Amino acid sequence: MTKIHVKSPLVEMDGDEMTRIIWAQIKKTLILPFLDIDLRYYDLGVTCRDQTDDKVTVKAAEAIHEFGVGVKCATITPDQDRIQEYQLKKAWASPNGTIRSILDGTVFRKPIVVKNIVPGVISWKKPIIIGRHAYGDIYKSADFSIPGPGKTELVYTPTNGDEPVRMTVQDFKGPGVLMGMHNTDASIRSFARACITYAISEKVNIWFGAKDTISKHYHSRFKDIFNAEVEARKADLEKAGVTYRYMLIDDAVAQIMKHEGGILWACKNYDGDVMSDMIASGFGSLGMMTSVLVSPDGKFEYEAAHGTVRRHYYEHLKGNPTSTNSVASIFAWTGAIRKRGELDGTPDVMAFADALEQAVITCIESGIVTKDLVNLVSPKPKGYETTDGFLAQVAEHLHVSVG
Ligand code: NAP
Ligand code: MG
């Protein structure tokens, strides 16, 4: 069999624990036998990050910036327990956070839809993709408890020496709570641009919801910046057949429950945090949720939305068989490969990504699933596959379809 040649390099980032085990297996059985590909490998496993003082993460992000497309395995974000467990120098920052800030990217989460898993919401037929603005609002706020009566104010002190601006928040008559939060035009603009870039790339319509009727400055700014960015890319959006719709957030929530899906729902930070979990559980399992980081200038990094599946890894280390769902990790690869093919103008590479996704979907739709899906698919399968067993079945289907 002649392998399909991939014109430009793809940045590969290895990771940790169970997903690292799956990663190697996917590469060996589903990617390298079929593709002649230049993988620029960065080991983001926690040991290597520790040894390089996390420089490897920065290098990986720079490589994505250079080559345009990357695929990443799930990684440990160390806490005190992990420092002990892996004998680390310190609690290194989340690699996803580091890469996101270098690329100034927005994360889009998309469920993988199969016929025999019926979503919790019966009208949902196509994926609902959540784009979450991952900067500011309550996640970068000052909040504190007010012990008793007193006046609270917002104060803006301009650096140019102009008079400070003051505004009363509340004249407290008794104890309470207070929070001050912010966002920046630059970050909101990057978010809007990444959403537009993603929607054009995926050919899905955009919804954006906020509460500008109540929040005349804060939420209205989001709405205005989105409108301006949509206006700036009007021609590209029209060419791709992509529409933009602003709604009040409560209207968006009500309408999503009656919608068939196939849209990008752009969410402010908190809404995205909450709604992405609602969408994930509505569509089934964490093992079926993919994630892509898109920068405003069109760089793409694909990964599974779940973590390193630690509990399964400990079973694996004990020598016990595991049944870990590899679908989201496989779709991270196919997403990246398809995008590589699209940017290179190589339809055969894109077709390979389609064939691999189809092999996975065919397996699931014929009842070949891992344990997490057994109670979700109908009719309920008699048993389930091991981690390796599922991958072997996908490989078999792929060999038949690609030859
Ligand atoms: P997790 O890896 O997402 O797994 C939590 C639980 O969800 C698993 O124990 C398993 O449930 C189920 N699950 C998740 N993915 C699955 C899959 N593919 N197949 C089957 N079941 C799946 O979260 P965690 O174990 O709490 O976190 C482990 C590490 O992941 C942490 O160190 C965290 O920092 C890291 N993390 C990384 C990323 C990332 O790199 N993007 C994201 C999140 C977390 P059962 O045990 O019930 O089978
Ligand atoms: Mg959440």
Short mmCIF file of all heavy atoms in Angstrom, two decimals, residues 280-327:
data_model
loop_
_atom_site.label_atom_id
_atom_site.label_comp_id
_atom_site.label_asym_id
_atom_site.label_seq_id
_atom_site.Cartn_x
_atom_site.Cartn_y
_atom_site.Cartn_z
N ALA A 280 -22.26 18.96 26.79
CA ALA A 280 -21.51 17.69 26.85
C ALA A 280 -22.39 16.59 27.43
O ALA A 280 -22.47 15.49 26.88
CB ALA A 280 -20.25 17.85 27.69
N SER A 281 -23.07 16.89 28.52
CA SER A 281 -23.87 15.83 29.13
C SER A 281 -25.11 15.55 28.27
O SER A 281 -25.55 14.41 28.16
CB SER A 281 -24.18 16.17 30.59
OG SER A 281 -25.51 16.55 30.74
N GLY A 282 -25.65 16.57 27.61
CA GLY A 282 -26.80 16.36 26.73
C GLY A 282 -26.48 15.47 25.54
O GLY A 282 -27.33 14.73 25.05
N PHE A 283 -25.24 15.52 25.07
CA PHE A 283 -24.86 14.71 23.90
C PHE A 283 -24.30 13.35 24.29
O PHE A 283 -24.05 12.52 23.43
CB PHE A 283 -23.86 15.46 23.02
CG PHE A 283 -24.53 16.36 22.01
CD1 PHE A 283 -24.58 17.73 22.20
CD2 PHE A 283 -25.11 15.84 20.86
CE1 PHE A 283 -25.20 18.56 21.28
CE2 PHE A 283 -25.73 16.66 19.93
CZ PHE A 283 -25.78 18.02 20.13
N GLY A 284 -24.00 13.11 25.57
CA GLY A 284 -23.55 11.77 25.94
C GLY A 284 -22.35 11.74 26.86
O GLY A 284 -22.50 11.93 28.06
N SER A 285 -21.15 11.56 26.31
CA SER A 285 -20.00 11.24 27.14
C SER A 285 -18.82 12.17 26.87
O SER A 285 -18.64 12.65 25.75
CB SER A 285 -19.59 9.80 26.85
OG SER A 285 -18.25 9.58 27.17
N LEU A 286 -18.02 12.39 27.91
CA LEU A 286 -16.79 13.18 27.75
C LEU A 286 -15.86 12.56 26.71
O LEU A 286 -15.10 13.25 26.04
CB LEU A 286 -16.04 13.20 29.08
CG LEU A 286 -16.06 14.45 29.91
CD1 LEU A 286 -15.12 14.28 31.11
CD2 LEU A 286 -15.61 15.66 29.10
N GLY A 287 -15.92 11.25 26.60
CA GLY A 287 -15.08 10.53 25.63
C GLY A 287 -15.45 10.82 24.19
O GLY A 287 -14.78 10.39 23.27
N MET A 288 -16.55 11.58 23.99
CA MET A 288 -17.03 11.88 22.64
C MET A 288 -17.02 13.38 22.37
O MET A 288 -17.76 13.87 21.52
CB MET A 288 -18.46 11.35 22.47
CG MET A 288 -18.60 9.86 22.67
SD MET A 288 -17.92 8.93 21.30
CE MET A 288 -19.27 9.07 20.12
N MET A 289 -16.19 14.12 23.10
CA MET A 289 -16.18 15.57 22.95
C MET A 289 -14.79 16.02 22.49
O MET A 289 -13.80 15.73 23.14
CB MET A 289 -16.54 16.19 24.30
CG MET A 289 -16.69 17.68 24.31
SD MET A 289 -18.08 18.30 23.37
CE MET A 289 -19.42 18.02 24.48
N THR A 290 -14.75 16.71 21.35
CA THR A 290 -13.46 17.22 20.86
C THR A 290 -13.35 18.71 21.14
O THR A 290 -14.34 19.37 21.43
CB THR A 290 -13.29 17.02 19.34
OG1 THR A 290 -14.35 17.68 18.68
CG2 THR A 290 -13.25 15.56 18.97
N SER A 291 -12.16 19.19 20.97
CA SER A 291 -11.87 20.56 21.32
C SER A 291 -10.84 21.11 20.35
O SER A 291 -9.91 20.38 19.96
CB SER A 291 -11.34 20.51 22.76
OG SER A 291 -10.81 21.72 23.15
N VAL A 292 -11.02 22.34 19.91
CA VAL A 292 -10.00 22.95 19.04
C VAL A 292 -9.75 24.38 19.48
O VAL A 292 -10.68 25.12 19.77
CB VAL A 292 -10.37 22.83 17.54
CG1 VAL A 292 -11.73 23.41 17.23
CG2 VAL A 292 -9.32 23.52 16.65
N LEU A 293 -8.48 24.72 19.54
CA LEU A 293 -8.07 26.08 19.87
C LEU A 293 -7.82 26.80 18.55
O LEU A 293 -7.04 26.31 17.71
CB LEU A 293 -6.78 26.03 20.69
CG LEU A 293 -6.14 27.37 21.04
CD1 LEU A 293 -6.91 28.02 22.19
CD2 LEU A 293 -4.69 27.18 21.46
N VAL A 294 -8.49 27.94 18.36
CA VAL A 294 -8.33 28.69 17.10
C VAL A 294 -7.82 30.09 17.44
O VAL A 294 -8.39 30.78 18.28
CB VAL A 294 -9.68 28.80 16.36
CG1 VAL A 294 -9.52 29.57 15.05
CG2 VAL A 294 -10.26 27.42 16.09
N SER A 295 -6.74 30.50 16.77
CA SER A 295 -6.23 31.84 17.03
C SER A 295 -6.89 32.80 16.04
O SER A 295 -7.36 32.38 14.98
CB SER A 295 -4.71 31.88 16.89
OG SER A 295 -4.35 31.76 15.53
N PRO A 296 -6.96 34.10 16.39
CA PRO A 296 -7.64 35.05 15.50
C PRO A 296 -7.02 35.09 14.10
O PRO A 296 -7.70 35.39 13.14
CB PRO A 296 -7.48 36.39 16.20
CG PRO A 296 -6.89 36.13 17.52
CD PRO A 296 -6.47 34.71 17.62
N ASP A 297 -5.71 34.75 14.01
CA ASP A 297 -5.06 34.76 12.69
C ASP A 297 -5.05 33.38 12.03
O ASP A 297 -4.30 33.15 11.07
CB ASP A 297 -3.64 35.33 12.79
CG ASP A 297 -2.76 34.53 13.75
OD1 ASP A 297 -3.31 33.73 14.54
OD2 ASP A 297 -1.53 34.70 13.71
N GLY A 298 -5.89 32.46 12.54
CA GLY A 298 -6.11 31.21 11.82
C GLY A 298 -5.08 30.10 12.03
O GLY A 298 -4.69 29.42 11.09
N LYS A 299 -4.62 29.89 13.27
CA LYS A 299 -3.81 28.72 13.63
C LYS A 299 -4.72 27.78 14.43
O LYS A 299 -5.54 28.26 15.22
CB LYS A 299 -2.59 29.09 14.49
CG LYS A 299 -1.85 30.32 14.04
CD LYS A 299 -1.07 30.10 12.79
CE LYS A 299 -0.31 31.37 12.40
NZ LYS A 299 0.15 31.34 11.03
N PHE A 300 -4.54 26.48 14.24
CA PHE A 300 -5.48 25.52 14.82
C PHE A 300 -4.75 24.46 15.65
O PHE A 300 -3.78 23.87 15.18
CB PHE A 300 -6.26 24.81 13.70
CG PHE A 300 -7.16 25.72 12.91
CD1 PHE A 300 -6.64 26.56 11.92
CD2 PHE A 300 -8.52 25.76 13.16
CE1 PHE A 300 -7.46 27.40 11.19
CE2 PHE A 300 -9.37 26.59 12.43
CZ PHE A 300 -8.83 27.42 11.44
N GLU A 301 -5.27 24.20 16.86
CA GLU A 301 -4.72 23.12 17.68
C GLU A 301 -5.86 22.23 18.15
O GLU A 301 -6.79 22.70 18.81
CB GLU A 301 -3.99 23.69 18.89
CG GLU A 301 -3.32 22.61 19.72
CD GLU A 301 -3.41 22.87 21.21
OE1 GLU A 301 -4.50 23.20 21.71
OE2 GLU A 301 -2.38 22.73 21.87
N TYR A 302 -5.79 20.94 17.82
CA TYR A 302 -6.88 20.01 18.10
C TYR A 302 -6.54 19.11 19.29
O TYR A 302 -5.41 18.66 19.42
CB TYR A 302 -7.13 19.12 16.87
CG TYR A 302 -7.66 19.91 15.69
CD1 TYR A 302 -6.79 20.63 14.87
CD2 TYR A 302 -9.03 19.96 15.43
CE1 TYR A 302 -7.28 21.37 13.80
CE2 TYR A 302 -9.51 20.69 14.36
CZ TYR A 302 -8.63 21.39 13.55
OH TYR A 302 -9.11 22.13 12.50
N GLU A 303 -7.55 18.80 20.10
CA GLU A 303 -7.35 17.83 21.19
C GLU A 303 -8.69 17.25 21.65
O GLU A 303 -9.75 17.70 21.23
CB GLU A 303 -6.58 18.46 22.35
CG GLU A 303 -7.31 19.51 23.11
CD GLU A 303 -6.61 19.87 24.43
OE1 GLU A 303 -5.79 19.08 24.94
OE2 GLU A 303 -6.91 20.93 24.96
N ALA A 304 -8.60 16.23 22.51
CA ALA A 304 -9.81 15.71 23.16
C ALA A 304 -10.18 16.67 24.27
O ALA A 304 -9.31 17.32 24.83
CB ALA A 304 -9.53 14.32 23.72
N ALA A 305 -11.48 16.76 24.61
CA ALA A 305 -11.87 17.69 25.67
C ALA A 305 -11.62 17.12 27.07
O ALA A 305 -11.54 17.86 28.03
CB ALA A 305 -13.34 18.07 25.53
N HIS A 306 -11.47 15.79 27.16
CA HIS A 306 -11.29 15.18 28.49
C HIS A 306 -9.82 15.22 28.93
O HIS A 306 -8.94 15.63 28.17
CB HIS A 306 -11.83 13.75 28.51
CG HIS A 306 -11.20 12.83 27.51
ND1 HIS A 306 -9.95 12.30 27.68
CD2 HIS A 306 -11.65 12.37 26.31
CE1 HIS A 306 -9.66 11.53 26.64
NE2 HIS A 306 -10.67 11.56 25.78
N GLY A 307 -9.60 14.81 30.17
CA GLY A 307 -8.25 14.81 30.73
C GLY A 307 -7.51 13.51 30.44
O GLY A 307 -7.80 12.82 29.46
N THR A 308 -6.56 13.19 31.33
CA THR A 308 -5.66 12.06 31.09
C THR A 308 -6.23 10.73 31.57
O THR A 308 -5.56 9.71 31.51
CB THR A 308 -4.32 12.31 31.82
OG1 THR A 308 -4.58 12.41 33.22
CG2 THR A 308 -3.67 13.61 31.34
N VAL A 309 -7.46 10.74 32.05
CA VAL A 309 -8.20 9.56 32.52
C VAL A 309 -7.36 8.76 33.53
O VAL A 309 -7.09 7.57 33.36
CB VAL A 309 -8.72 8.68 31.36
CG1 VAL A 309 -10.03 7.97 31.77
CG2 VAL A 309 -8.94 9.46 30.08
N ARG A 310 -7.01 9.44 34.58
CA ARG A 310 -6.09 8.94 35.60
C ARG A 310 -6.50 7.58 36.19
O ARG A 310 -5.68 6.68 36.30
CB ARG A 310 -6.00 10.00 36.71
CG ARG A 310 -5.28 9.56 37.95
CD ARG A 310 -5.08 10.69 38.93
NE ARG A 310 -6.08 11.76 38.85
CZ ARG A 310 -6.01 12.88 39.55
NH1 ARG A 310 -4.98 13.09 40.35
NH2 ARG A 310 -6.93 13.80 39.45
N ARG A 311 -7.77 7.44 36.55
CA ARG A 311 -8.21 6.20 37.20
C ARG A 311 -7.94 5.00 36.31
O ARG A 311 -7.48 3.95 36.77
CB ARG A 311 -9.71 6.28 37.54
CG ARG A 311 -10.18 5.18 38.48
CD ARG A 311 -11.69 5.21 38.68
NE ARG A 311 -12.46 4.90 37.48
CZ ARG A 311 -12.63 3.68 36.98
NH1 ARG A 311 -12.08 2.63 37.57
NH2 ARG A 311 -13.33 3.50 35.87
N HIS A 312 -8.18 5.13 35.02
CA HIS A 312 -7.95 4.03 34.08
C HIS A 312 -6.45 3.72 33.97
O HIS A 312 -6.04 2.58 33.84
CB HIS A 312 -8.50 4.38 32.69
CG HIS A 312 -9.99 4.56 32.64
ND1 HIS A 312 -10.73 4.33 31.52
CD2 HIS A 312 -10.89 4.96 33.60
CE1 HIS A 312 -12.02 4.57 31.76
NE2 HIS A 312 -12.12 4.97 33.02
N TYR A 313 -5.65 4.77 34.05
CA TYR A 313 -4.19 4.59 33.95
C TYR A 313 -3.66 3.77 35.12
O TYR A 313 -2.82 2.88 34.93
CB TYR A 313 -3.52 5.97 33.91
CG TYR A 313 -2.01 5.90 33.79
CD1 TYR A 313 -1.40 5.29 32.69
CD2 TYR A 313 -1.18 6.47 34.76
CE1 TYR A 313 -0.02 5.23 32.56
CE2 TYR A 313 0.20 6.43 34.64
CZ TYR A 313 0.77 5.82 33.55
OH TYR A 313 2.13 5.77 33.43
N TYR A 314 -4.19 4.04 36.30
CA TYR A 314 -3.74 3.27 37.47
C TYR A 314 -4.12 1.80 37.31
O TYR A 314 -3.36 0.91 37.69
CB TYR A 314 -4.30 3.86 38.76
CG TYR A 314 -3.78 5.26 39.10
CD1 TYR A 314 -4.49 6.13 39.94
CD2 TYR A 314 -2.56 5.72 38.60
CE1 TYR A 314 -4.02 7.40 40.25
CE2 TYR A 314 -2.09 7.00 38.88
CZ TYR A 314 -2.82 7.83 39.71
OH TYR A 314 -2.35 9.08 40.01
N GLU A 315 -5.28 1.53 36.73
CA GLU A 315 -5.67 0.14 36.43
C GLU A 315 -4.70 -0.47 35.43
O GLU A 315 -4.25 -1.61 35.59
CB GLU A 315 -7.10 0.09 35.86
CG GLU A 315 -8.20 0.39 36.87
CD GLU A 315 -8.14 -0.52 38.09
OE1 GLU A 315 -8.01 -1.75 37.92
OE2 GLU A 315 -8.21 0.00 39.23
N HIS A 316 -4.38 0.30 34.41
CA HIS A 316 -3.44 -0.14 33.37
C HIS A 316 -2.08 -0.50 33.99
O HIS A 316 -1.48 -1.52 33.66
CB HIS A 316 -3.30 0.97 32.32
CG HIS A 316 -2.20 0.75 31.34
ND1 HIS A 316 -2.35 -0.04 30.21
CD2 HIS A 316 -0.92 1.21 31.31
CE1 HIS A 316 -1.21 -0.05 29.54
NE2 HIS A 316 -0.34 0.70 30.16
N LEU A 317 -1.62 0.34 34.93
CA LEU A 317 -0.32 0.10 35.58
C LEU A 317 -0.35 -1.19 36.41
O LEU A 317 0.67 -1.86 36.56
CB LEU A 317 0.08 1.28 36.48
CG LEU A 317 0.48 2.58 35.78
CD1 LEU A 317 0.88 3.62 36.82
CD2 LEU A 317 1.63 2.37 34.80
N LYS A 318 -1.52 -1.52 36.95
CA LYS A 318 -1.66 -2.76 37.72
C LYS A 318 -1.73 -3.98 36.82
O LYS A 318 -1.82 -5.11 37.29
CB LYS A 318 -2.95 -2.70 38.58
CG LYS A 318 -2.82 -1.84 39.83
CD LYS A 318 -4.09 -2.00 40.69
CE LYS A 318 -4.68 -0.66 41.05
NZ LYS A 318 -6.11 -0.70 41.34
N GLY A 319 -1.77 -3.75 35.51
CA GLY A 319 -1.84 -4.85 34.56
C GLY A 319 -3.26 -5.27 34.24
O GLY A 319 -3.48 -6.27 33.55
N ASN A 320 -4.24 -4.51 34.73
CA ASN A 320 -5.65 -4.85 34.45
C ASN A 320 -6.05 -4.30 33.08
O ASN A 320 -5.59 -3.24 32.68
CB ASN A 320 -6.56 -4.25 35.52
CG ASN A 320 -6.29 -4.85 36.89
OD1 ASN A 320 -5.86 -6.00 36.98
ND2 ASN A 320 -6.53 -4.08 37.94
N PRO A 321 -6.95 -5.01 32.39
CA PRO A 321 -7.43 -4.47 31.11
C PRO A 321 -8.26 -3.22 31.35
O PRO A 321 -8.91 -3.09 32.39
CB PRO A 321 -8.31 -5.61 30.55
CG PRO A 321 -8.69 -6.43 31.72
CD PRO A 321 -7.61 -6.29 32.74
N THR A 322 -8.23 -2.28 30.41
CA THR A 322 -9.01 -1.05 30.54
C THR A 322 -9.97 -0.96 29.36
O THR A 322 -9.79 -1.64 28.35
CB THR A 322 -8.08 0.18 30.49
OG1 THR A 322 -7.32 0.11 29.28
CG2 THR A 322 -7.16 0.24 31.68
N SER A 323 -10.97 -0.10 29.53
CA SER A 323 -11.89 0.17 28.42
C SER A 323 -12.07 1.68 28.35
O SER A 323 -13.07 2.24 28.77
CB SER A 323 -13.23 -0.54 28.65
OG SER A 323 -14.09 -0.30 27.56
N THR A 324 -11.03 2.33 27.84
CA THR A 324 -11.03 3.79 27.74
C THR A 324 -11.44 4.21 26.33
O THR A 324 -10.96 3.63 25.35
CB THR A 324 -9.62 4.35 28.05
OG1 THR A 324 -9.14 3.74 29.24
CG2 THR A 324 -9.64 5.86 28.21
N ASN A 325 -12.30 5.19 26.26
CA ASN A 325 -12.80 5.66 24.96
C ASN A 325 -11.73 6.51 24.26
O ASN A 325 -11.31 7.54 24.78
CB ASN A 325 -14.07 6.49 25.20
CG ASN A 325 -14.81 6.80 23.93
OD1 ASN A 325 -14.22 6.83 22.85
ND2 ASN A 325 -16.10 7.04 24.05
N SER A 326 -11.32 6.06 23.08
CA SER A 326 -10.25 6.77 22.35
C SER A 326 -10.81 7.68 21.26
O SER A 326 -10.05 8.30 20.51
CB SER A 326 -9.30 5.75 21.72
OG SER A 326 -10.03 4.77 21.00
N VAL A 327 -12.15 7.77 21.17
CA VAL A 327 -12.77 8.47 20.04
C VAL A 327 -12.37 9.95 19.97
O VAL A 327 -11.99 10.44 18.91
CB VAL A 327 -14.31 8.31 20.08
CG1 VAL A 327 -14.98 9.19 19.05
CG2 VAL A 327 -14.68 6.85 19.83
#
